Amino acid sequence: MKINYSKIRLVTNTLDLDNTFQRATLQEAIAYCKSIPVVGYDIETTRLHQDKWLNFGGLDPYTSDIVMVQVGDLNRQYVIDARCVDIGELREVFCDLNTVIVGHNLKFEYKHTLHKYKIRLNAAYDTMVAERILFNGLPEDKQLSLKALNERYLDIEVDKSIRLSFLTIGDRPFTVDEIAYGAADILYPLWIREKQLKDFKNKDLWETMKLEMKFLLALADIEYTGVNFNPTKWLDTYEVNMVHHEGAILELDKFIMDNYSDTQFVYKQYDMFTEGFSCKIQWSSSNQVIEFFRYLKICPEVNAKPTKTEPDRKKKFTVESKEVKAMMHEMALPKKLLEFVSLYLEAKKHEQSVTTFGNKFLKNVNPVTGRLHSNYKQIINTGRIASSGPNLQNIPSDPAFRKAFDAPENKVIVNADYSGQESIVLVNSSMDENLLEFYEGGKEGEVRDMHSFIASKLFPSELAGMSLGEIKEKRSDLRQIAKAAGFALAYGGTGFTIAKNLGLAPEVGEKVYEDYFKAFPGMNAYFEGVKKAAIRTGFILIDDITKRKYYYPDWKWLKQAERNGEHKKASQLRGKMERAAMNYPIQGQAGSITKLAAIYLYEWLGKANLWEDVKVTLLVHDEINLEVTDGYQEVAGKALEECMERAGAVWCKRIPLKADAITTSYWTH
């Protein structure tokens, strides 16, 4: 697939160029793009202020500028010099609902276009997002760059190094190679799209594709807006946490020196200034901590992924808190070791608050906006989103952290989350009669607590005659077991998972697991059905609305193991797939509901033209956060609730999903 120079049109006011490419006007480019239903789109950017912000990662719209804009189709490509031609008039093309804008990683183009020209797209197709849909989010054996897709779909290798020349281009005219490179970058996604659309048809993923392409625009807007952040409040919390962390480390060091002074883990120091012991272990070094745990013969082991250097490795040692907690409850540890493990877990609890959520977190603050602009990965294996730089999905719920996400002057925060989203998705999927009884029954004014209700079914003799309110107040121990069991099962867990999470004996966890399904037979039937379907077809059907599918990567190896009589291997692979089949539909449907709510909200903001007064700043699991001009909170809160509940109704038809908006001065959920 060669680039045909005769199809390229150059739009520029610069005169000192050769005549390799035919010249055109911006009006001609607009007229041509309005005449075609699908328009390829790409931009090239340069750094703003070459002496500043070089340490701030990426080319975001605040620290870089558009120098070249490329639009067109397979028959004609317009390369526009954005340094001397104002492309704002392309608005009528980009905003046309009947024109599909095609590109690769379109969030990048969209955010820059929105920043410089205040143009919002209305219909888009992103080849990167499409590839994520087709291949389970982020395939382990596949890359998602345009270069990788060119090789996969078009069997061509493209030199992308020319892109670097734009970073320092200044006022220099484009070279022939740069113009050809720009034109090619709209051709490649158009060619790739033709092939991807065939895959969407074959896999029956049209509805998933339509949802994700609409969500792309809402997500790009959220990334561009970012969230307000108060570094002073964050650092105040960090300093308090550092005191706790250092104190916990001192306690841990003292315990080692007092109890293991004759081991290689303690350094006995004698000099003219000091005399005494010091602990050699750096508690931030997992390797050093593992060495000490192994010395004590209490180091947990977990399954390990094979590596290039250790392809046959099956197990690895770990000192992660979750595994250490499970080990502490599984092993009959003597008093001294229990004391050590407790001190270690206390220190680990404080460690993340001064590392991941410490002063280094401030590196994520944009130097121009002073806000946090997270990069969202639109699709992971279940269909949910993830974020990085920073990961806003993982901010601790402690108000000490959340208060740093406050409202700017003359603004308030309007926030809403779904009440029991995953539980309600599960009951609508399973239609279990006992669960339906909980949601549809009950007397007016009666406490309706799901975890207490589950506890009443799991422990009927212990909780006989008690109301749900009494169970919640007086038997929090059994309620906690029910709560942990519910969460474990929703994530594809087993009796072992329940025991591990709660620190119970394995046989107790297994009994809770069995009693849970006895209490909720409809749920058991539902899970058995999805497991059998996944094993039969090789994919997990996330839901019947979008037809989203997760293609299990090891299914062919499962079938091969079954044919070869490798029962142990087949059992392991089958168990892994069945656990995913239980979990992914619940997680995936919940994710799609939140995405559709964001789409409805994006569309409402456009129709109401409230972009300046209502901004979507956070999308975290089942929660949406708005930054609202004071005085608009009532209309914004009402719209947020309506959009979220309207989206929930698409999947949850029997038991509705509810969302209640609140107005606050900081991120409170």
Side-chain angles (χ1 to χ4, degrees):
M1 296 180 175
K2 295 182 178 180
I3 307 302
N4 187 338
Y5 282 17
S6 67
K7 294 183 178 182
I8 299 174
R9 303 288 185 271
L10 181 61
V11 181
T12 181
N13 293 333
T14 304
L15 300 177
D16 53 340
L17 290 175
D18 63 35
N19 295 317
T20 303
F21 303 103
Q22 184 175 329
R23 301 296 181 90
T25 64
L26 180 62
Q27 287 66 37
E28 179 187 330
I30 293 171
Y32 183 79
C33 290
K34 288 177 66 175
S35 71
I36 55 178
V38 177
V39 175
Y41 179 45
D42 189 60
I43 64 172
E44 302 301 334
T45 59
T46 189
R47 291 191 186 280
L48 284 171
H49 307 287
Q50 297 294 329
D51 58 332
K52 296 168 63 179
W53 309 323
L54 293 181
N55 293 326
F56 189 74
L59 287 170
D60 76 282
Y62 299 101
T63 59
S64 58
D65 193 19
I66 301 173
V67 294
M68 178 187 285
V69 172
Q70 307 99 271
V71 292
D73 62 2
L74 298 179
N75 295 316
R76 189 175 298 179
Q77 303 90 50
Y78 290 89
V79 176
I80 306 167
D81 188 341
R83 296 168 300 178
C84 58
V85 178
D86 183 358
I87 69 158
E89 293 181 41
L90 278 169
R91 181 186 309 274
E92 53 187 306
V93 175
F94 291 140
C95 296
D96 188 342
L97 287 170
N98 298 314
T99 302
V100 179
I101 306 300
V102 177
H104 186 82
N105 191 22
L106 267 176
K107 282 195 303 181
F108 180 82
E109 279 73 23
Y110 183 24
K111 288 187 291 185
H112 278 80
T113 307
L114 176 57
H115 180 69
K116 187 168 184 177
Y117 303 106
K118 305 301 179 186
I119 295 175
R120 283 184 164 85
L121 306 183
N122 276 315
Y125 181 97
D126 187 328
T127 51
M128 177 185 284
V129 171
E131 200 72 354
R132 287 193 184 279
I133 299 168
L134 292 168
F135 294 101
N136 299 341
L138 179 60
E140 292 185 2
D141 61 337
K142 289 178 167 54
Q143 297 296 317
L144 296 177
S145 67
L146 182 57
K147 183 177 185 297
L149 266 64
N150 284 339
E151 294 172 3
R152 190 177 311 144
Y153 284 100
L154 309 179
D155 196 25
I156 57 175
E157 189 169 342
V158 178
D159 180 11
K160 301 294 289 185
S161 63
I162 296 176
R163 175 182 55 188
L164 300 177
S165 67
F166 292 100
L167 295 180
T168 55
I169 191 170
D171 295 327
R172 171 180 61 77
F174 299 137
T175 66
V176 170
D177 287 343
E178 287 168 345
I179 294 169
Y181 172 89
D185 266 3
I186 62 173
L187 288 173
Y188 299 141
L190 290 168
W191 282 325
I192 292 167
R193 175 176 177 269
E194 290 180 349
K195 296 179 180 293
Q196 286 178 332
L197 289 178
K198 294 178 182 178
D199 288 339
F200 279 121
K201 182 178 181 181
N202 293 335
K203 293 183 175 182
D204 191 18
L205 288 169
W206 282 110
E207 294 304 317
T208 307
M209 185 264 287
K210 288 194 289 187
L211 174 76
E212 294 293 350
M213 295 309 169
K214 288 182 179 179
F215 179 63
L216 158 74
L217 304 178
L219 193 60
D221 198 83
I222 294 169
E223 286 189 6
Y224 173 73
T225 299
V227 60
N228 195 62
F229 182 72
N230 191 316
T232 301
K233 292 180 181 178
W234 186 267
L235 288 176
D236 287 344
T237 299
Y238 165 70
E239 289 174 4
V240 171
N241 289 334
M242 180 58 77
V243 172
H244 292 310
H245 175 62
E246 290 174 346
I249 293 297
L250 286 174
E251 287 290 319
L252 197 52
D253 284 349
K254 184 177 183 301
F255 184 87
I256 302 304
M257 292 184 288
D258 289 347
N259 293 277
Y260 298 96
S261 60
D262 58 345
T263 69
Q264 69 269 31
F265 301 100
V266 172
Y267 176 63
K268 195 167 187 179
Q269 179 178 338
Y270 292 100
D271 57 38
M272 62 185 295
F273 301 107
T274 61
E275 181 177 338
F277 300 124
S278 62
C279 179
K280 285 184 177 181
I281 303 170
Q282 296 293 321
W283 298 104
S284 59
S285 168
S286 58
N287 288 335
Q288 291 186 31
V289 178
I290 285 171
E291 184 182 356
F292 184 64
F293 268 75
R294 293 186 66 184
Y295 169 81
L296 298 176
K297 296 182 171 56
I298 61 170
C299 194
E301 287 186 274
V302 294
N303 294 328
K305 287 186 177 182
T307 64
K308 290 182 179 179
T309 55
E310 297 178 282
D312 299 322
R313 185 173 64 155
K314 298 292 189 297
K315 295 282 187 178
K316 70 173 182 178
F317 290 104
T318 181
V319 285
E320 290 298 316
S321 294
K322 184 178 180 180
E323 305 300 332
V324 172
K325 283 180 184 176
M327 174 276 300
M328 181 172 65
H329 293 291
E330 290 169 9
M331 297 178 67
L333 298 179
K335 183 178 178 181
K336 185 167 77 171
L337 290 184
L338 278 173
E339 186 178 353
F340 160 68
V341 172
S342 298
L343 287 171
Y344 172 73
L345 290 173
E346 182 68 16
K348 287 291 288 183
K349 184 178 74 173
H350 294 294
E351 183 180 58
Q352 190 181 41
S353 66
V354 298
T355 53
T356 304
F357 304 115
N359 57 351
K360 293 181 180 178
F361 187 85
L362 301 186
K363 70 180 181 182
N364 297 301
V365 178
N366 188 287
V368 178
T369 68
R371 297 167 73 93
L372 298 174
H373 299 266
S374 185
N375 297 305
Y376 287 90
K377 184 184 292 183
Q378 185 167 334
I379 304 168
I380 56 175
N381 47 13
T382 63
R384 280 194 179 275
I385 63 174
S387 78
S388 60
N391 180 3
L392 296 176
Q393 310 283 302
N394 200 33
I395 301 297
S397 58
D398 186 339
F401 289 102
R402 296 292 180 95
K403 283 181 179 178
F405 296 82
D406 57 10
E409 187 177 359
N410 299 321
K411 302 283 186 179
V412 296
I413 288 174
V414 175
N415 179 287
D417 65 352
Y418 285 113
S419 178
Q421 186 188 43
E422 291 173 4
S423 297
I424 291 178
V425 168
L426 179 56
V427 69
N428 279 282
S429 297
S430 68
M431 298 300 285
D432 179 89
E433 290 184 4
N434 283 330
L435 290 175
L436 290 172
E437 172 197 332
F438 169 78
Y439 284 105
E440 296 180 334
K443 299 176 182 178
E444 186 176 349
E446 181 184 26
V447 172
R448 304 298 292 164
D449 179 68
M450 168 58 81
H451 305 309
S452 297
F453 176 76
I454 293 174
S456 72
K457 299 296 183 182
L458 294 182
F459 309 103
S461 57
E462 295 94 326
L463 302 176
M466 295 180 68
S467 68
L468 299 187
E470 290 172 329
I471 294 172
K472 184 176 182 179
E473 181 182 352
K474 299 177 181 179
R475 293 307 307 265
S476 59
D477 56 334
L478 298 183
R479 180 183 180 276
Q480 181 59 30
I481 292 175
K483 181 179 179 180
F487 283 135
L489 295 175
Y491 281 85
T494 63
F496 176 76
T497 311
I498 297 168
K500 188 175 181 180
N501 291 346
L502 288 173
L504 301 172
E507 59 271 18
V508 176
E510 195 59 40
K511 186 176 186 307
V512 171
Y513 182 82
E514 293 173 358
D515 289 347
Y516 198 105
F517 282 126
K518 287 179 183 177
F520 302 103
M523 186 189 300
N524 186 42
Y526 165 72
F527 280 138
E528 288 301 314
V530 295
K531 288 192 292 187
K532 289 178 181 177
I535 297 299
R536 184 181 70 254
T537 62
F539 63 81
I540 298 166
L541 178 64
I542 303 297
D543 65 80
D544 289 325
I545 304 297
T546 65
K547 307 296 184 184
R548 189 190 300 276
K549 300 173 181 69
Y550 175 82
Y551 289 87
Y552 191 66
D554 292 335
W555 184 65
K556 59 182 178 181
W557 305 119
L558 166 62
K559 293 302 177 183
Q560 181 176 303
E562 289 176 340
R563 288 193 299 269
N564 295 341
E566 300 174 84
H567 303 299
K568 184 177 180 180
K569 181 178 180 181
S571 178
Q572 290 174 339
L573 291 171
R574 188 182 304 109
K576 188 177 179 182
M577 187 172 184
E578 287 179 344
R579 287 190 293 276
M582 292 171 67
N583 166 234
Y584 284 17
I586 306 305
Q587 298 300 311
Q589 289 179 61
S592 292
I593 290 169
T594 304
K595 287 179 176 182
L596 184 57
I599 293 169
Y600 287 156
L601 193 58
Y602 181 85
E603 293 173 346
W604 172 78
L605 285 169
K607 290 176 182 177
N609 194 24
L610 287 174
W611 297 114
E612 296 303 316
D613 293 304
V614 180
K615 298 180 183 295
V616 185
T617 57
L618 285 171
L619 203 64
V620 180
H621 304 306
D622 61 351
E623 173 184 5
I624 299 178
N625 209 62
L626 308 180
E627 183 180 289
V628 180
T629 300
D630 195 9
Y632 286 83
Q633 50 264 52
E634 185 176 347
V635 66
K638 182 180 179 182
L640 180 58
E641 289 177 353
E642 289 178 350
C643 289
M644 292 179 72
E645 292 181 1
R646 179 181 162 207
V650 174
W651 280 266
C652 301
K653 300 183 184 300
R654 175 77 176 264
I655 307 298
L657 263 175
K658 297 294 184 182
D660 294 317
I662 62 170
T663 299
T664 180
S665 59
Y666 68 93
W667 180 19
T668 55
H669 277 108

